[in-house]
Amino acid sequence: NLDNTILYAASPGAPIWRVPVTGGEPVAATRFEAEQRGHFSPHFLPDQRHFLFFVTGPPDTRGVHVGQLGDTSSRRLVDADGSAVFSPASGHLLFVRAGKLLAQAFDAGRLELSGNPLVIDEHVTAGTALTASVAGPFAYHEPPPVGGQRQLTWVNRKGEELQKVVYADTMALGPALSHDGRRIA
């Protein structure tokens, strides 16, 4: 974040950890509640103090949670099948549930969702990786299909496909958009 704090998930069954960019001893940023099995994929919100993360566990526990630096408690925001990202440009939380990529209005100041989720894609899986740039574009990709190739698809805000890129399955992690939304790693 802007205060030079790194959040990371070390392993299944462990909390989200925080550490200064200068190094030092990691400190737990989250704690496990009843029936939670794993904390994954931390993602800072614009205030740089709150963060989203995914919790695995039974259906009434799993989902996207919000935490805060300096407080290991958290609150469940929404049932989801994987991690989520916040798109500051559109004000939406992007997440996957029941095979659909959804976008739901999210007030990052009040940490509250509103309205009904909008369906972005109806054919995704729980392993879909998401990223959103501050400038507005977002990207997602599916886990690799059998055959060893992946595909990134650029889509505009109207849901119209702009470009597809097919490449060999060598990517270990999900895509990451640049802040201006023009490049992807």
Side-chain angles (χ1 to χ4, degrees), residues 84-118:
V85 295
F86 175 63
S87 173
S90 72
H92 286 83
L93 187 70
L94 303 166
F95 59 97
V96 173
R97 182 172 57 215
K100 296 178 182 169
L101 173 58
L102 303 169
Q104 189 166 358
F106 179 65
D107 184 327
R110 296 178 65 190
L111 305 173
E112 293 178 355
L113 291 161
S114 62
N116 293 317
L118 306 169

Side-chain angles (χ1 to χ4, degrees), residues 85 87 94 101 120 130-133 136-140 153-156 177:
V85 295
S87 173
L94 303 166
L101 173 58
I120 304 298
L130 306 164
T131 184
S133 82
F138 69 92
Y140 62 98
T153 305
W154 290 82
V155 180
N156 67 17
L177 279 169

Side-chain angles (χ1 to χ4, degrees), residues 60-106:
D60 59 335
T61 302
R62 71 153 194 226
V64 177
H65 288 237
V66 63
Q68 179 177 333
L69 292 178
D71 181 354
T72 59
S73 65
S74 66
R75 179 173 56 88
R76 183 177 180 213
L77 287 176
V78 67
D79 179 25
D81 298 334
S83 61
V85 295
F86 175 63
S87 173
S90 72
H92 286 83
L93 187 70
L94 303 166
F95 59 97
V96 173
R97 182 172 57 215
K100 296 178 182 169
L101 173 58
L102 303 169
Q104 189 166 358
F106 179 65

Side-chain angles (χ1 to χ4, degrees), residues 145-149:
V146 177
Q149 290 199 328

Side-chain angles (χ1 to χ4, degrees), residues 28-48:
T30 62
R31 73 170 178 258
F32 280 86
E33 302 294 337
E35 302 202 32
Q36 292 181 357
R37 296 187 188 129
H39 293 180
F40 300 96
S41 304
H43 174 79
F44 275 112
L45 290 170
D47 70 2
Q48 304 294 299

